[in-house]
Amino acid sequence: MFAELLQPSVLIPWFLAMLLGIFVGATPGLTATMAVALIVPISFHMSPMAGLAMIIGVSFTAIFAGDIPATWLRIPGTPASAAATLDGFQMAKKGKGNFALGLDLICSSIGGIIGVATLIFVAPQLARFALKFGSYEYFWLGVLGLSMSAMVTMGQTSKALLAATLGVFISTVGQDVVSNSQRYTFGSIEALGGLHFIPVMIGLFGVAEVLRNIGQSEALGEPTGEADSSSLISVLPEVLRHKWCVVRSALVGTVIGALPGAGADVAAWGSYGIAKSSSKTPEEFGTGTIEGVIAPTSANNAAVAGAWIPALVFGIPGDAVTAIVLGVMLVHGIKPGPMLFEDGGDQVRSIFAIALVTQFMLVPCGWAGVKAFGLIQKLPKRTVLAGVLVFSTVGAFAINNSMFDVYVMLAFGLIGFFMEACGVPVVPMILGLILGPLVERELRAGLIASSGSFEPFFMRPISMALVFLLFLAFFAKPMWKLISRRLFTK
Amino acid sequence: MNKTKSANQPSPSPPCLRASVVKNGFQWTKHSRSFRRFRSSFTLLVCVTILGCQKDPQAAIDSYPSKTVTVVCPWSAGGGTDRCSRFWAERLQTKFENPFVVMNRTGGSGAIGHSAVARAKADGYTMGMVTVELSMMKQMGISDLTFRDYECLMQINADSAAVVVRKDAPWKNLQELFDEIKSSKEKLKMSGTASGGIWDLARVGMLDAAGLDIHSVTWVPSKGSAPALVQLMGEHIDAVVVSVPEAMPQIEAGELRLLAVMDDQRHPDFPDIPTLKEEGCDWSAVGWRGLALPKGTPPEIVAKILVQCEEIAASEEFKEFMGKNGFAVVIRGPEEFTKFLEEQESLWTPVIDLAGYAQK
């Protein structure tokens, strides 16, 4: 079977697709979903194996490549990379950009391998577990994620909460799923679809970053940054030193990815929060720590593998990419279901093999992308910023082929610029925007299902566990401090 | 005089000619008198050609298609409607030997994409894959569009809605489910779409036709059919109303089963499953898809596209594509399609009233 995979007719399109994934992932606004939708019609003219290899290759590389512009320019290429704008960017600012991305790449690959291994060995069990998540559980998961915004930005909690609340508010624009009414659309048909997450994100990060730099006009002629000479080998000792952080983040990422209602973006934030709250030096997070780089990137690649779990076991797509892949699999005559794992034979094994080999191919492909992107650093700042603005505009337009999204992007560029100027962090706003709809929808759907009773929100086993986790996240540290202080004073 | 005329007129001429006018216009101010005279006579020639084209819309019709045609898909990339749009775009591209490109314009329950088609220039270079939501968006107050805002070209598909339950559900047929709804103290929970979404309305229509109170079950809103099926499999709800192909993977995996289809005939893939009519409940609901052009597209161009569409619809490739995706083939030409859309409107309007979603 591996021999079949290594034929040039499979290997060449696979490799090209992964390079496409690097480009698409590194360009804000171009998403893995778009790349996969482009590849699908081509894949029908190929062998099923080559088609699946291209699709799997694109989806994993695009998630990693999103971290490249996030680290160099503080502009996440995909929503799942927003966490890399914290520690990755700070590390690059200190002149260790290649080191950060090397770390990022190796951990992405390891995270992916752990995710795929979980998929191979416990997919049916994990999928059954994921089904137990109803509205009540998703609600608490969303609340847990939102509370990360307080944790991510410790020290300025009130401003972070303000930003998160604004994010939740923005997410209410558009047509409401529960009541079918229109909210804050002011009669505009374009606003019916809501303010799309990606143009908002490009505005808050990309455009705001351009505006900030224009303010320092004397620096515009200088090169954008200094690239260090770190190689992939030089990061390995650090990866080894933080191996538990990688494994834990990857497992968290896989489980969150396996939940049909949550994806790689939630996984990245979740593991960042966990890494921070379990770190010995949480106050250093956000200043360029190694753990802060490792945790989100291990998790988001693992989450891509996790999304395949419900897809293969029950035919339920975990995200937009797996939804497309499911369609392709049906066309090729591969029927998803629990039986697929027991007697699926070659088809399933080849999917697994492709997913595994992709993780290893990711390292050279990704490093080529990092190096190519690093060349930009030598250009003068004004050129790079102009390029950022062009790509941001194209990306915002490409999401839905709509000028409305471009205006949204520009407006949020201004909002992001002023927020940072006032010392309000933009990251919690992104969290609010991602999780606001989840929390609101699941709370209301849950209350409809329970005829208005709050009981299932607390009494169901998984709900209870999530509430307990939430409690721990906020009170474990202060309580431990209190107890240890008592012990010391005595 | 001719020159100013050409500058003011938005012309439907080929882009290359227009570009050369602009180019000449720029050079006009930059060159010596003799050269200028040569240029101006050349410009005049170009203008005469353009004006000639404008007076003769026949030329635009004869040369159709001479540039990229956009096929608007009102739903997101990768979904069923998107797959259909891409298939048709690809086939039309081969037939016309001219680029046909799919553009996804999503959001607002399909309203954004549908209005992008209706508002586009009626020159045949924008067409759209319209869907069942068009039959209800006006009554729901989401948009003021109806099928009357389009040149309805051809219906290509209609998938029956179905009542789906878990494989171990206690009800063997629809009647038993209805009995349970009547007698059960605790309301049963159903889902499939958002509140007021198509399958919510299909559920309302079914309960009403069965003589049950439409509030006798709880509709738990969900973002779409996929999350609703997850909720059903996780035992968070009791039954789901979705179209047959949406539930196909889970049915084939043996996790879910059909109780009844909401159609006039039985589903070819499930000949043992009765229709609602057979169960004594006069109601049918289908999710359909079709091709449409903006209102006012020249009839000659409509006819040109229709000829090719008829060929594609009759082809083996189309049947194979639909079969593999589990979509039912239902072809209706322009008149039949328009008549069908009138029927759809009068089918859904009272249901929307009954469900309480009607606007004005």
Side-chain angles (χ1 to χ4, degrees):
Chain A
M1 181 180 53
F2 276 99
E4 199 183 325
L5 279 183
L6 296 177
Q7 279 169 1
S9 65
V10 178
L11 213 52
I12 291 170
W14 191 355
F15 192 73
L16 289 178
M18 290 185 74
L19 291 184
L20 174 72
I22 296 279
F23 173 74
V24 162
T27 311
L30 300 187
T31 60
T33 317
M34 282 184 207
V36 171
L38 275 177
I39 285 178
V40 166
I42 308 172
S43 77
F44 288 138
H45 301 288
M46 297 184 187
S47 67
M49 197 83 111
L52 282 170
M54 286 175 79
I55 291 168
I56 294 174
V58 162
S59 61
F60 278 101
T61 33
I63 291 288
F64 159 71
D67 288 353
I68 301 178
T71 305
W72 283 128
L73 303 171
R74 199 169 175 258
I75 302 160
T78 66
S81 295
T85 60
L86 296 172
D87 288 78
F89 175 69
Q90 291 299 336
M91 211 183 251
K93 228 177 160 184
K94 292 177 188 162
K96 284 164 55 182
N98 276 333
F99 181 76
L101 282 168
L103 206 59
D104 195 311
L105 178 57
I106 298 288
C107 295
S108 276
S109 171
I110 298 175
I113 293 171
I114 294 176
V116 175
T118 319
L119 167 69
I120 296 173
F121 294 112
V122 291
Q125 293 82 354
L126 199 54
R128 288 271 166 218
F129 171 73
L131 281 186
K132 293 209 165 67
F133 274 66
S135 299
Y136 318 110
E137 286 80 10
Y138 277 119
F139 166 73
W140 285 117
L141 197 68
V143 173
L144 203 58
L146 273 181
S147 65
M148 291 294 165
S149 65
M151 240 178 265
V152 166
T153 52
M154 224 180 271
Q156 36 181 344
T157 312
S158 58
K159 279 180 175 171
L161 286 180
L162 175 70
T165 318
L166 273 175
V168 174
F169 169 67
I170 293 161
S171 75
T172 59
V173 174
Q175 198 180 9
D176 173 31
V177 169
V178 178
S179 66
N180 194 53
S181 53
Q182 299 172 19
R183 302 190 292 193
Y184 306 107
T185 60
F186 301 102
S188 151
I189 284 215
E190 300 280 359
L192 256 187
L195 300 183
H196 199 290
F197 170 71
I198 289 177
V200 172
M201 187 187 77
I202 299 175
L204 284 180
F205 286 103
V207 179
E209 189 68 22
V210 171
L211 290 176
R212 236 187 325 274
N213 277 292
I214 288 173
Q216 305 148 341
S217 54
E218 68 281 2
L220 283 178
E222 293 168 11
T224 312
E226 281 293 309
D228 51 323
S229 56
S230 304
S231 70
L232 277 179
I233 297 164
S234 68
V235 303
L236 289 180
E238 288 301 328
V239 176
L240 266 182
R241 215 154 61 81
H242 295 281
K243 52 184 179 294
W244 293 119
C245 181
V246 177
V247 173
R248 186 185 52 214
S249 306
L251 290 178
V252 169
T254 316
V255 173
I256 294 181
L259 299 174
D265 41 7
V266 182
W269 285 116
S271 62
Y272 187 88
I274 291 173
K276 183 167 182 173
S277 58
S278 63
S279 164
K280 287 189 195 83
T281 51
E283 66 282 353
E284 282 175 18
F285 270 66
T287 62
T289 57
I290 288 172
E291 284 157 298
V293 174
I294 288 178
T297 192
S298 312
N300 61 19
N301 248 34
V304 176
W308 284 76
I309 292 175
L312 290 179
V313 179
F314 296 121
I316 297 164
D319 58 16
V321 172
T322 44
I324 302 178
V325 175
L326 272 181
V328 175
M329 285 172 56
L330 285 175
V331 170
H332 284 309
I334 306 174
K335 303 246 161 72
M339 297 305 283
L340 195 68
F341 285 80
E342 283 144 34
D343 52 25
D346 279 353
Q347 291 166 327
V348 182
R349 259 175 282 157
S350 52
I351 292 176
F352 290 162
I354 290 168
L356 264 185
V357 176
T358 297
Q359 307 307 326
F360 291 101
M361 283 169 64
L362 176 63
V363 176
C365 281
W367 196 239
V370 170
K371 284 288 170 192
F373 210 89
L375 293 180
I376 292 176
Q377 298 294 95
K378 296 205 172 68
L379 296 174
K381 239 182 190 168
R382 60 162 70 92
T383 317
V384 173
L385 293 178
V388 165
L389 209 53
V390 169
F391 271 100
S392 298
T393 311
V394 171
F397 182 79
I399 287 300
N400 203 10
N401 301 299
S402 155
M403 276 310 282
F404 179 75
D405 287 333
V406 177
Y407 303 140
V408 168
M409 176 203 77
L410 292 174
F412 275 90
L414 284 178
I415 293 174
F417 177 72
F418 284 112
M419 277 170 69
E420 293 255 298
C422 303
V424 180
V426 293
V427 162
M429 193 163 179
I430 293 288
L431 271 170
L433 197 55
I434 298 177
L435 296 168
L438 181 76
V439 171
E440 191 209 343
R441 187 179 65 233
E442 300 301 345
L443 174 64
R444 290 165 73 194
L447 284 174
I448 288 175
S450 69
S451 322
S453 157
F454 278 97
E455 197 195 300
F457 283 96
F458 295 97
M459 300 317 286
R460 289 158 56 98
I462 299 176
S463 304
M464 233 195 276
L466 286 170
V467 174
F468 182 67
L469 266 182
L470 198 64
F471 182 80
L472 270 189
F474 277 102
F475 297 109
K477 272 255 162 86
M479 267 166 58
W480 177 246
K481 261 186 197 158
L482 208 68
I483 295 167
S484 56
R485 202 175 296 158
R486 280 271 167 84
L487 288 176
F488 275 119
T489 46
K490 263 180 188 172
Chain B
M1 151 89 196
N2 264 331
K3 192 162 55 60
T4 50
K5 219 177 197 174
S6 80
N8 292 338
Q9 231 129 37
S11 61
S13 62
C16 56
L17 283 182
R18 230 191 299 174
S20 71
V21 172
V22 173
K23 202 172 145 202
N24 291 334
F26 276 127
Q27 291 182 351
W28 171 265
T29 54
K30 285 180 184 169
H31 292 275
S32 66
R33 177 172 287 187
S34 59
F35 195 69
R36 223 160 66 180
R37 197 168 293 154
F38 166 72
R39 280 289 168 181
S40 63
S41 56
F42 182 75
T43 312
L44 194 77
L45 190 75
V46 170
C47 292
V48 168
T49 325
I50 293 168
L51 291 174
C53 289
Q54 274 180 335
K55 276 176 194 152
D56 185 13
Q58 191 57 41
I61 292 166
D62 288 342
S63 64
Y64 181 90
S66 57
K67 58 176 186 186
T68 303
V69 180
T70 307
V71 182
V72 177
C73 168
W75 303 97
S76 57
T81 308
D82 180 63
R83 266 177 277 156
C84 289
S85 308
R86 280 174 205 278
F87 174 84
W88 279 85
E90 202 241 351
R91 296 308 306 148
L92 284 168
Q93 178 161 327
T94 333
K95 293 266 178 199
F96 278 111
E97 294 179 343
N98 180 67
F100 277 68
V101 178
V102 174
M103 186 195 263
N104 299 88
R105 296 292 312 272
T106 62
S109 303
I112 291 176
H114 281 95
S115 83
V117 181
R119 278 202 235 140
K121 205 168 164 197
D123 56 3
Y125 290 98
T126 307
M127 56 193 295
M129 186 66 80
V130 292
T131 60
V132 59
E133 283 74 13
L134 181 60
S135 296
M136 44 190 77
M137 56 176 64
K138 186 176 173 155
Q139 301 92 305
M140 303 275 298
I142 297 168
S143 154
D144 46 16
L145 294 171
T146 66
F147 67 93
R148 293 174 194 86
D149 298 298
Y150 300 86
E151 303 285 347
C152 301
L153 194 65
M154 180 185 270
Q155 182 185 352
I156 59 155
N157 154 252
D159 289 316
S160 350
V163 184
V164 184
V165 295
R166 276 187 300 280
K167 61 172 180 213
D168 55 0
W171 318 290
K172 277 186 213 70
N173 55 45
L174 196 65
Q175 210 49 56
E176 291 184 20
L177 177 68
F178 284 163
D179 290 342
E180 173 99 18
I181 290 174
K182 264 183 234 161
S183 61
S184 164
K185 266 190 203 142
E186 209 170 304
K187 277 187 188 176
L188 293 188
K189 291 172 214 148
M190 291 174 85
S191 186
T193 50
S195 304
I198 163 161
W199 304 136
D200 182 18
L201 296 174
R203 181 262 323 183
V204 169
M206 173 183 78
L207 291 180
D208 184 52
L212 292 164
D213 178 10
I214 62 160
H215 299 295
S216 57
V217 299
T218 304
W219 186 261
V220 182
S222 78
K223 236 172 106 186
S225 55
L229 290 165
V230 176
Q231 295 287 299
L232 177 64
M233 288 165 72
E235 306 186 18
H236 306 287
I237 51 176
D238 303 295
V240 148
V241 178
V242 290
S243 78
V244 176
E246 285 168 331
M248 195 70 109
Q250 291 80 24
I251 295 170
E252 286 191 337
E255 295 285 327
L256 301 179
R257 65 187 158 88
L258 291 176
L259 280 189
V261 291
M262 303 188 183
D263 207 344
D264 300 339
Q265 297 104 36
R266 291 189 175 201
H267 195 280
D269 292 344
F270 301 97
D272 302 335
I273 306 298
T275 65
L276 273 192
K277 290 213 170 101
E278 291 171 49
E279 299 271 323
C281 176
D282 187 18
W283 171 251
S284 67
V286 295
W288 52 261
R289 301 183 174 105
L291 292 159
L293 290 151
K295 190 88 197 169
T297 307
E300 294 88 345
I301 291 182
V302 176
K304 259 188 175 181
I305 304 174
L306 184 63
V307 171
Q308 301 298 342
C309 284
E310 277 167 351
E311 272 181 34
I312 297 169
S315 71
E316 271 310 305
E317 284 158 326
F318 174 63
K319 288 183 187 113
E320 198 190 319
F321 165 81
M322 298 293 273
K324 274 184 172 170
N325 280 288
F327 302 144
V329 178
V330 174
I331 301 289
R332 287 191 172 97
E335 290 87 39
E336 270 183 293
F337 188 19
T338 312
K339 197 169 146 261
F340 170 74
L341 290 174
E342 268 166 28
E343 289 165 14
Q344 283 284 302
E345 199 175 63
S346 46
L347 177 77
W348 289 110
T349 306
V351 175
I352 293 167
D353 277 335
L354 184 66
Y357 293 116
Q359 301 283 317
K360 281 167 266 174

